[in-house]
Every structure is written in C-alpha cells, then in structure tokens.
Amino acid sequence: MEFWPEFLLIASVHLVAVASPGPDFAIVLRYAVRYGRTIALSASMGIGAAILLHVCYSLLGLGLLIKTTPWLFTLFSVLSAAYLAYIGWQAIRSGAATQQAEEQVEAISDAPSLLKAFTSGFVTNGLNPKATLFFLSLFAVIISPVTSLSYKVIYGLYMAVATAAWFAFLSVILTREKVRAFLLLKGYWFDRLMGAVLLALAMHLIYGAIQSQLH
C-alpha cells in the first residue's frame, strides 16, 4: 500500500481509538479539574510519549510475544489493573471542600510535580492492555508487511504527537475559566466518578485475565 492511503487509514483508526473514553481521559480530566492546566498538559505529554513505547515493542515484535504468551499477557493485565485501582482509590477518597476557594487551595497544596504528572500519564497509557492490543492489531493487520521501517516510524511519531495534542486540547477546554469553575464546584464528585470508572476498568481487566486463564 502506498504511503498516503495507508497513513490516512491509520490516522482515522487512531482518531477513533484516542477519542474513546478510557483511563487516559479519566486521568486528564481529574488532573485538569483538580490541579489545573499545567499539570493536565504534563500528563497529556506523558500519554503521548507512552505511544512511542507501544510503537517500539510493536516494531520489535514484543507485542506479538505478549499476545501469544498467555501468562505474560495476564501478568501485564494484572499490573495494569493494580495501577488503575490505586489511582482510582486515591480519586474516590477525595473529600468535599466547604467552599470553592478552599478546594482550590487544597488542590494547589497537594498538586503533583510536572514530572510526576508526566509519569502518571506515561504509566497509565503504557500499562493499558487495550493500547497493547490496538497497536498489535495495527501493526499486524492494518499496516502492510511490506511497508518500510521508515514509514512505520513516521506513523508512530504521528500517533504520539496526535495523542498528546488531543489530550492537550482536552486539558485546555476543561480548564477554561467557566468550565473549570463549574467542575471545581462539583470537583470531588468528578474525582469520585473518575475513581469509580478506573476501579471498574481494573476489575474488568482482572476478570478478563481470569477468563483467559480458564480458557
């Protein structure tokens, strides 16, 4: 397949995947609401950087190894579930502030560093089994076996930049003054909602891991 038709196909599939709600969206939403734009943007950059991790192991064939070695994929899923459960529980424990200003002060005082926010975004995406399966399918099915390595690298760089840009866009929208003012007013409920979503995702991963071992 020539470069542009294949690139446009990959870009379309990737857009649908990245726009679908999941752990990445949950963590960006939580950081944007609770800690503001800068922290959310740092997490977005971490999510984008993690795409390069998926691209690298797909090019090296490790994605196929994970998929064809059930116990290894199960271990990967359990580690991912444990991490999602941890950040989900942290979100659920968020308390209600008596006043909006009080909540803002509390958020600033316990805000993570930019490096920690970047790392959280990177780990959240890097340990996402759905992302592993997505890139495995992408490189095994959609991208032609005869596509050159240089083209594959370009595809990977595009998806990393596009992912970071998408979540950076969400970070900006979610931290606009009126939007964030509303979200801050009910901020702890959003924290708890995102925490429940992350815990549900963790349980889903554990259930899937158990089912795969039973079969």
Side-chain angles (χ1 to χ4, degrees):
M1 188 180 290
E2 295 181 0
F3 175 78
W4 283 110
E6 188 172 66
F7 175 79
L8 292 175
L9 177 59
I10 291 168
S12 300
V13 173
H14 174 258
L15 177 62
V16 173
V18 77
S20 302
D24 298 336
F25 175 79
I27 195 169
V28 168
L29 175 60
R30 180 169 188 257
Y31 278 3
V33 172
R34 190 164 184 81
Y35 304 121
R37 182 171 299 176
T38 302
I39 297 298
L41 285 173
S42 184
S44 299
M45 296 304 105
I47 292 169
I51 298 298
L52 296 176
L53 174 66
H54 296 300
V55 171
C56 286
Y57 68 61
S58 295
L59 291 176
L60 293 172
L62 294 181
L64 183 60
L65 175 63
I66 291 175
K67 178 60 178 176
T68 56
T69 309
W71 70 265
L72 186 58
F73 188 75
T74 298
L75 176 61
F76 187 79
S77 297
V78 170
L79 289 175
S80 176
Y83 179 74
L84 291 179
Y86 169 74
I87 59 177
W89 180 245
Q90 293 293 104
I92 285 179
R93 292 178 59 195
S94 298
T98 56
Q99 297 179 357
Q100 181 177 341
E102 183 180 321
E103 185 169 352
Q104 288 176 299
V105 170
E106 179 188 350
I108 294 172
S109 65
D110 67 352
S113 66
L114 293 179
L115 178 60
K116 186 174 181 180
F118 179 91
T119 302
S120 294
F122 185 90
V123 174
T124 298
N125 184 275
L127 285 180
N128 186 353
K130 288 187 177 180
T132 301
L133 293 175
F134 170 78
F135 281 93
L136 175 61
S137 301
L138 188 69
F139 279 85
V141 179
I142 297 178
I143 298 178
S144 171
V146 299
T147 298
S148 68
L149 178 61
S150 59
Y151 281 2
K152 291 179 180 178
V153 171
I154 291 173
Y155 298 157
L157 290 174
Y158 162 77
M159 288 185 285
V161 172
T163 299
W166 168 255
F167 286 106
F169 170 74
L170 286 180
S171 300
V172 172
I173 295 300
L174 292 170
T175 52
R176 289 179 65 88
E177 185 176 351
K178 290 184 178 180
V179 175
R180 189 169 183 239
F182 170 76
L183 293 176
L184 273 173
L185 190 62
K186 304 294 182 181
Y188 68 98
W189 286 113
F190 278 91
D191 266 357
R192 291 173 180 177
L193 176 61
M194 289 302 101
V197 169
L198 291 172
L199 284 177
L201 287 171
M203 288 186 289
H204 177 71
L205 288 177
I206 293 293
Y207 176 77
I210 293 173
Q211 288 295 103
S212 66
Q213 287 300 301
L214 292 177
H215 292 85

